[in-house]
Amino acid sequence: MIFSLIILLVLLFIEGLKHKSSISDDLPLKPYFFPCKTSHSRMFPVRHSFSYSYLLTGIPVGFKGSVGGLISIDEVNDNAWLSRRAWFTIHGDDYLARGHHPDGLRGKLRDYLQSQGIDHKQFSQAYLFTAAKFLGYASNPVSIWYLYTASNELKALVLEVNNTFDERHSYFLEPSSNSLARPSSSTTSSTRYTSKWPKDFYVSTFNDRSGCYSLSLIDPFAPVLTGTGYINTNITLSGPSNTKAMIVTLLQSTSGPLNPASMSLLEKLRFLLSWWWVGFATFPRTLQQAFILFFRKKMPWAFRPEPRRKTISRPADDTEKLIEQQFRAFLKARVEQCQEPLIVRYQSAGLIGEENAAALFISGSVMDRSQPEVEILVLTPVFYSNFALYASLGEAFMSESSQSQTLFLSDNSITSKLNLETSICPNSSKFPFRQGSPARYLLTLLVYLRKSPRSISVGDVSYSKTSQPLISKLSELDIYVLHHASLANFKKYAWKLIRLMMIDHVAFRSTTLWELEVLTVRTIVAWLILRGIFG
C-alpha cells in the first residue's frame, strides 16, 4: 500500500512538470528564476558577516497562469497539495495591501500607487522580483517591483519589506537627478539606479528605526528590456548621522536566469533538487545569525516599536476583531450624538479587505460637509486590546496616541467633543441580568480584573488613578455594549475581555506564554485526577 502511494506521488510529480506554459510569446519580459547569493555585513557597532544562496523569482506583473509546471502566478488558490498546478506560487493576496484584489498583482500595484498620489498610467509595465512560495511556504524579507515607462526604461521602484512580526512597509523610490544613465544605441552597458531615503520600518531586532537606506542596483533588463537578467543590488543602512555605514547587504546573481518554460524535464528535476530547500532555510538562518549576535557578540537588543502611519500592521486576532466591532459602533454613536458639528474619519488596523475600509461618521449638527475632518487612525490592532483595559476612555485616547503610539489623532480635542465620560454606570442592583445568572458573574469578574491605568500627564491634561468603588471600573465601552448588545454578544465580549485581562495579569501580555500556562495547569490537574483514581 505504501509502495503504491509512493509510485502514485512520483507519477503525479512528473506529470505536473509536464504542464504546458500558458504564457504568450508576445510578452517582452518572461517569468524567470534567478539563482543568487546574498551577503550581509554588519560594520557597526560590532563586525559580523555571513552569506548564503538565495532564489528569486521574477514575473511580469499582470500575467496570470502557470509556466512549465513550476510557477503559478495569480491563479485561484487551492490548498489541496495534490491538486497544485505548480511547485512555486506567487499570488496577489500576499503582496502590498492585505486582502484580495480581483485584478491580482496588477490591481494591488495600481491601488498602492494611487494611495501614494502617483499616476500609475506613467508606467506601462512592471516586473516583480520576489521569493515565491514553495508548496505554500515562503520567507520573503524583501520584494522589489521594477516600474518601466512606455519606452522600456526603468523609472521607479517599489521596495516591499516584511519583518518577522507580520508587518509590512513599502517604499516608493524614484531616481535622483542623473542617477539613471540613458542607454544609447551604441552601448550595451547596464543602467544603474541609485536612491537614498530615511528608514521608517522596524526590521531587525538589533536596529531601531533611525538611520537611512541607500540603494544602488543594476537594471537587469537594460537597455530597453534586452539585458541578460543579471542581478546586482546593494542596500546600505547608515546610522542617524548618515556618515557611517552600519549594514551592507549585497544580492548578486550566481548564474544566468532560468526560463521554466524552456526547461526540459531533467532540468526541472535538477532545479527542484537544488533549490527546494532554500525558502525553508531562510528563517532558521536568520535565527542562527541572531543567536550569534546576541549571545556571542553581545549585540544590544532593539525592542520593537509600534508601526507608524504608512506601515501595514499585523492582522488582528479574534479578540481584537471583536473589540474593534464594538469600538466602531461606539464611536459612530458618540459622533452622531455630538452637539457640535463634527466629521470623523475612522481607519481601523489589522482587518483585511473591505472590513479595513475607512469609515466616515457625521454628527447631526453638521450643516457644511466641506468642514475639516478629524482623523482617528488606529496604527496597530494592539490598540484594541490596550483600549479594553482602560476604565477611562478619555485617558485611553490620550495615552494610546501620545505614549503607546498605537493611535493617531489629528485633533486631540476630539476626546472632549465625544463626551467620553458621561454614560451613567449602573450599580450592581440595576444590572440587566437576574441575580446568579452567568452574565452577571461575567460582568462582576470583568470589573474585578480590570486594572486602573497608571497616572499619565499629557500636555495640560492630567489623568490620574483615583480610589473609586469597584463598579466604577466599567468603561464607557463596557456600558455601551451592556446597553446595546444582545445577551449572547455581551457574553462573548465579556469572555474575550476576561481572557485578555488574565493574560495581562499572569502572562505579561503574551498569548504564547498564556497558552503554555494553561497547558501546564491542565497537565497538573489531569495528573492529580489520575493519581487520585489509580493511587
Side-chain angles (χ1 to χ4, degrees):
M1 179 66 181
I2 296 177
F3 180 75
S4 299
L5 180 60
I6 293 175
I7 295 296
L8 176 61
L9 291 175
V10 170
L11 291 176
L12 287 172
F13 168 77
I14 295 175
E15 188 64 27
L17 294 178
K18 293 180 179 179
H19 283 164
K20 294 183 178 180
S21 301
S22 57
I23 191 167
S24 171
D25 293 334
D26 297 333
L27 282 176
L29 293 175
K30 306 291 193 298
Y32 291 106
F33 289 114
F34 296 85
C36 296
K37 177 182 178 181
T38 180
S39 60
H40 188 93
S41 299
R42 184 178 292 272
M43 317 301 292
F44 178 84
V46 299
R47 299 186 71 87
H48 178 68
S49 299
F50 62 91
S51 62
Y52 53 81
S53 55
Y54 195 73
L55 180 66
L56 278 179
T57 304
I59 61 165
V61 176
F63 169 75
K64 295 183 179 182
S66 60
V67 185
L70 287 177
I71 307 176
S72 172
I73 304 167
D74 261 342
E75 293 187 300
V76 176
N77 276 325
D78 192 340
N79 293 323
W81 189 85
L82 291 177
S83 63
R84 293 182 182 274
R85 299 187 61 186
W87 291 88
F88 293 87
T89 57
I90 297 175
H91 200 278
D93 291 359
D94 301 319
Y95 294 86
L96 298 175
R98 299 195 191 278
H100 178 73
H101 195 292
D103 202 15
L105 290 163
R106 184 194 297 274
K108 284 289 193 74
L109 178 60
R110 181 175 61 246
D111 287 356
Y112 168 75
L113 293 175
Q114 290 176 347
S115 71
Q116 303 300 305
I118 300 164
D119 181 12
H120 67 90
K121 295 180 181 178
Q122 63 181 302
F123 308 113
S124 63
Q125 56 188 313
Y127 197 83
L128 172 63
F129 288 90
T130 187
K133 284 185 174 181
F134 181 78
L135 297 181
Y137 175 82
S139 181
N140 192 13
V142 182
S143 297
I144 306 179
W145 305 67
Y146 285 62
L147 310 183
Y148 293 91
T149 64
S151 58
N152 294 333
E153 295 181 25
L154 182 63
K155 177 69 179 298
L157 298 171
V158 176
L159 265 67
E160 183 179 352
V161 187
N162 299 282
N163 64 18
T164 54
F165 303 97
D166 206 7
E167 297 168 341
R168 184 179 301 165
H169 189 92
S170 296
Y171 298 99
F172 177 80
L173 307 177
E174 290 184 294
S176 56
S177 59
N178 301 320
S179 65
L180 279 180
R182 186 180 182 89
S184 64
S185 58
S186 60
T187 182
T188 58
S189 61
S190 299
T191 301
R192 179 163 289 276
Y193 181 103
T194 60
S195 187
K196 193 172 186 178
W197 69 98
K199 184 181 180 182
D200 199 35
F201 183 53
Y202 179 84
V203 178
S204 169
T205 53
F206 300 104
N207 296 94
D208 57 21
R209 285 188 300 215
S210 62
C212 70
Y213 288 112
S214 59
L215 171 74
S216 175
L217 59 78
I218 297 294
D219 177 5
F221 303 113
V224 292
L225 305 186
T226 62
T228 55
Y230 274 80
I231 294 174
N232 188 332
T233 302
N234 181 321
I235 300 178
T236 301
L237 173 64
S238 301
S241 63
N242 298 335
T243 58
K244 181 179 291 187
M246 297 176 62
I247 301 174
V248 179
T249 301
L250 296 175
L251 180 65
Q252 295 176 311
S253 292
T254 56
S255 64
L258 304 175
N259 186 350
S262 61
M263 294 168 67
S264 67
L265 178 60
L266 183 60
E267 289 172 331
K268 292 176 182 179
L269 290 171
R270 187 183 299 117
F271 170 79
L272 286 173
L273 290 174
S274 300
W275 290 99
W276 69 269
W277 58 274
V278 171
F280 295 106
T282 300
F283 184 64
R285 283 167 163 172
T286 303
L287 290 180
Q288 178 190 15
Q289 300 305 323
F291 179 90
I292 294 172
L293 281 171
F294 187 71
F295 290 102
R296 296 184 184 176
K297 301 198 173 182
K298 309 302 180 183
M299 183 75 180
W301 194 275
F303 288 96
R304 183 185 70 86
E306 295 302 335
R308 289 175 174 162
R309 292 189 63 181
K310 293 186 177 181
T311 296
I312 298 176
S313 68
R314 64 164 176 80
D317 61 28
D318 291 341
T319 299
E320 291 161 343
K321 289 178 181 178
L322 177 65
I323 297 173
E324 192 281 333
Q325 292 174 1
Q326 301 299 339
F327 174 77
R328 180 188 293 259
F330 168 78
L331 182 62
K332 181 176 184 292
R334 281 305 170 93
V335 172
E336 292 176 348
Q337 295 167 6
C338 182
Q339 300 300 313
E340 300 181 39
L342 181 62
I343 301 178
V344 171
R345 181 172 295 276
Y346 163 68
Q347 177 63 62
S348 60
L351 304 184
I352 295 176
E354 294 182 357
E355 292 181 347
N356 202 43
L360 198 65
F361 305 140
I362 304 174
S363 68
S365 57
V366 170
M367 304 298 293
D368 182 9
R369 291 289 187 94
S370 63
Q371 76 174 63
E373 299 174 355
V374 176
E375 186 178 11
I376 298 179
L377 174 63
V378 180
L379 302 177
T380 166
V382 171
F383 166 79
Y384 302 116
S385 52
N386 284 355
F387 189 81
L389 298 180
Y390 288 87
S392 167
L393 297 195
E395 180 179 349
F397 270 89
M398 297 304 295
S399 179
E400 293 303 310
S401 62
S402 61
Q403 292 188 342
S404 300
Q405 296 183 347
T406 63
L407 178 72
F408 170 79
L409 299 175
S410 63
D411 183 358
N412 287 335
S413 67
I414 185 70
T415 56
S416 60
K417 294 178 181 178
L418 293 179
N419 296 319
L420 293 177
E421 313 295 339
T422 59
S423 292
I424 299 175
C425 183
N427 58 45
S428 58
S429 63
K430 295 183 179 180
F431 284 166
F433 313 117
R434 69 179 185 277
Q435 191 74 26
S437 68
R440 190 182 185 90
Y441 288 126
L442 284 176
L443 188 60
T444 303
L445 184 59
L446 176 64
V447 168
Y448 177 77
L449 289 175
R450 174 173 277 117
K451 289 182 179 179
S452 295
R454 64 188 182 279
S455 300
I456 63 170
S457 179
V458 181
D460 297 328
V461 182
S462 178
Y463 299 93
S464 60
K465 179 178 177 180
T466 57
S467 177
Q468 296 177 340
L470 190 62
I471 194 61
S472 68
K473 288 187 179 180
L474 280 179
S475 72
E476 291 288 309
L477 186 61
D478 297 337
I479 298 170
Y480 175 83
V481 177
L482 190 63
H483 288 162
H484 295 86
S486 65
L487 178 60
N489 285 338
F490 172 77
K491 287 182 179 179
K492 186 177 180 181
Y493 168 83
W495 268 121
K496 291 288 188 182
L497 259 64
I498 288 169
R499 179 179 179 273
L500 181 66
M501 293 173 185
M502 289 293 293
I503 294 173
D504 183 58
H505 277 71
V506 302
F508 305 102
R509 302 295 298 275
S510 171
T511 303
T512 302
L513 181 58
W514 165 260
E515 291 174 350
L516 288 174
E517 291 173 346
V518 171
L519 178 62
T520 301
V521 170
R522 288 177 176 174
T523 302
I524 293 174
V525 170
W527 179 78
L528 291 174
I529 292 174
L530 292 174
R531 184 182 180 186
I533 294 175
F534 298 104

